[in-house]
Amino acid sequence: MKITTIEWKNNKIRLIDQTKLPHKLEYLDIDKLEDLWQAIKLLKVRGAPALGAAAALGVYLGIKDLKTKDPAVFNKELDRVSHYIAGSRPTARNLFWGIEKICSVARKNKGKDLAALKKLLYEEACRIIENDKSSCRKIGEYGSRLIKDNDTVLTICNAGILATIDYGTALGVLYRAKEEGKKIKVFSCETRPLLQGARLTAWELNQKGVDVTVICDNMAATLMRQGKINKVIAGADRIAANGDTANKIGTYNLAVLSSYHKIPFYIAAPVSTFDLRAQSGKDIPIEERDPREVSELLFKRVIAPKGVKIFNPAFDVTPRNLISAIITDKGVIRPPYNLNIKRIVRL
Ligand code: MRU
């Protein structure tokens, strides 16, 4: 089955409602900016590259029906729409990158009449989608060279088809390895509190015929000690200039465990996830989410005493010294990251 996470269809944004998975594969057709904002906030669409596409399509959605012929009014509205979308989630670099890409097309074509400009913005959003498809395949191609026949790989959250357009970053590496005939097994950390690993990664790997086993997050150390994990691959929400990497909360735990057990720990991400303005992980904003995600199981069952304090950061930062390599669409980056990231990202 072909899975397309997000696309522009019938003059609307069509996306898979990921909160319904694995029970139902349901699509949402979005034609209001406020609905897109909610969809991003509530993780109906999620994962850094998919958020880049959502943001770009969202900017177009927000301005496409503007009736004005006055460029000043148009630019003001473009600004308002961009800020509004940027306020939905703070950590994934791609969300801001998607907005910036669209706005820079508007800036470069200032003199054009507004109908022509809208068309250019639409085309840029479509390009972002097409480029994501090809950059994920590049990541797969480079990353698969690191995977051996019969490897068992541990992953966290969902850095697959559902986090991109149709192939994935960390999971793209595994899809490619499988396409090349390598026998691989995957352990997927369930990824508390919202269970992207259990609900989404297990679902899509199953759909694609990849051998997957779900574990609770606290089982990873035991599996590593038992020698059952050969590699860990995670995605990224934002990578700083020095290589420090923000990804789903729990990724840092896996990196520490990998280092202790001498297991290679890889990050897979397109260059659009790098933020060279962030010098280190300290400069990466970390989203804190609704406490009820922790105190209630998927908002259905209360599991903590009423009124107890809850802490719910959605991401953590893995320091660069724990990362064996970063697999990108422009090649595999190895330490020293402060030199090699700039070299590859600016290619
Ligand atoms: O909160 P989420 O589900 O958006 O978090 C997503 C992740 O942490 C992914 O690993 C990351 O965005 C990389 S996706 C290719």
Side-chain angles (χ1 to χ4, degrees):
M1 183 188 39
K2 174 110 177 76
I3 307 164
T4 304
T5 304
I6 179 165
E7 63 188 320
W8 185 260
K9 201 165 184 182
N10 300 331
N11 222 20
K12 292 177 187 163
I13 298 174
R14 164 164 275 216
L15 52 87
I16 295 176
D17 180 350
Q18 300 191 29
T19 60
K20 297 276 164 51
L21 285 169
H23 308 294
K24 270 189 263 171
L25 178 58
E26 207 172 282
Y27 292 86
L28 288 174
D29 289 310
I30 295 183
D31 60 1
K32 287 195 195 66
L33 194 57
E34 293 70 23
D35 293 345
L36 179 71
W37 194 95
Q38 280 296 329
I40 294 173
K41 185 79 187 164
L42 299 177
L43 273 53
K44 289 171 193 273
V45 60
R46 44 141 306 278
L51 290 176
L57 289 174
V59 176
Y60 175 66
L61 179 72
I63 54 90
K64 79 179 174 58
D65 295 326
L66 260 187
K67 294 286 180 277
T68 183
K69 289 201 161 61
D70 179 347
V73 175
F74 181 87
N75 287 336
K76 203 168 161 213
E77 189 55 11
L78 185 66
D79 244 33
R80 186 195 69 79
V81 166
S82 302
H83 277 101
Y84 178 65
I85 298 172
S88 57
R89 294 190 76 190
T91 304
R93 168 65 194 142
N94 304 60
L95 186 132
F96 303 91
W97 170 88
I99 295 169
E100 284 161 20
K101 293 280 279 183
I102 299 291
C103 290
S104 90
V105 170
R107 261 195 317 276
K108 280 187 204 137
N109 292 280
K110 265 205 296 254
K112 288 235 161 56
D113 88 89
L114 295 183
L117 189 54
K118 283 180 188 174
K119 185 163 174 279
L120 288 175
L121 302 193
Y122 169 71
E123 286 165 0
E124 181 66 9
C126 295
R127 205 169 304 125
I128 286 174
I129 288 183
E130 288 312 308
N131 286 348
D132 180 79
K133 294 179 187 173
S134 56
S135 70
C136 284
R137 279 161 182 80
K138 281 272 166 214
I139 291 171
E141 196 183 314
Y142 290 121
S144 170
R145 296 177 194 162
L146 303 169
I147 305 292
K148 293 207 182 87
D149 200 23
N150 292 316
D151 265 354
T152 297
V153 179
L154 179 68
T155 190
I156 182 168
C157 195
N158 173 267
I161 295 170
L162 293 165
T164 59
I165 303 299
D166 70 351
Y167 199 70
T169 56
L171 299 192
V173 170
L174 305 178
Y175 292 135
R176 176 64 188 242
K178 186 171 190 291
E179 284 158 25
E180 288 170 0
K182 293 174 190 162
K183 282 194 204 70
I184 47 160
K185 288 193 170 136
V186 181
F187 279 99
S188 174
C189 290
E190 63 173 353
T191 319
R192 276 278 289 149
L194 294 179
L195 307 179
Q196 290 92 329
R199 295 187 302 106
L200 308 178
T201 292
W203 179 79
E204 67 164 82
L205 288 176
N206 248 327
Q207 295 289 322
K208 295 289 169 191
V210 178
D211 182 324
V212 57
T213 305
V214 175
I215 58 166
C216 297
D217 300 326
N218 51 9
M219 297 170 184
T222 292
L223 282 180
M224 288 186 185
R225 196 171 60 186
Q226 290 171 347
K228 291 194 174 138
I229 307 293
N230 305 106
K231 265 132 211 165
V232 177
I233 309 187
D237 276 80
R238 196 184 289 233
I239 304 173
N242 74 343
D244 290 351
T245 295
N247 191 51
K248 180 54 56 192
I249 189 81
T251 305
Y252 173 43
N253 303 31
L254 296 182
V256 172
L257 291 173
S258 301
S259 165
Y260 182 80
H261 291 94
K262 305 203 169 20
I263 296 168
F265 176 91
Y266 298 119
I267 291 291
V271 292
S272 48
T273 302
F274 287 76
D275 179 0
L276 298 188
R277 279 170 292 193
Q279 296 304 307
S280 75
K282 289 201 187 84
D283 301 321
I284 300 178
I286 300 294
E287 176 182 16
E288 268 192 52
R289 294 185 57 85
D290 187 340
R292 288 190 309 143
E293 290 179 355
V294 173
S295 62
E296 298 173 19
L297 280 183
L298 296 180
F299 302 101
K300 291 197 177 86
R301 189 185 165 144
V302 176
I303 54 164
K306 202 164 183 278
V308 78
K309 284 188 277 186
I310 302 283
F311 179 45
N312 186 20
F315 302 97
D316 59 25
V317 173
T318 298
R320 62 180 169 172
N321 60 312
L322 297 179
I323 301 170
S324 313
I326 304 174
I327 306 158
T328 79
D329 42 345
K330 290 192 180 169
V332 174
I333 309 180
R334 294 196 181 265
Y337 290 121
N338 49 348
L339 295 178
N340 292 338
I341 284 177
K342 284 196 192 83
R343 199 170 50 77
I344 290 224
V345 171
R346 286 185 181 147
L347 272 183

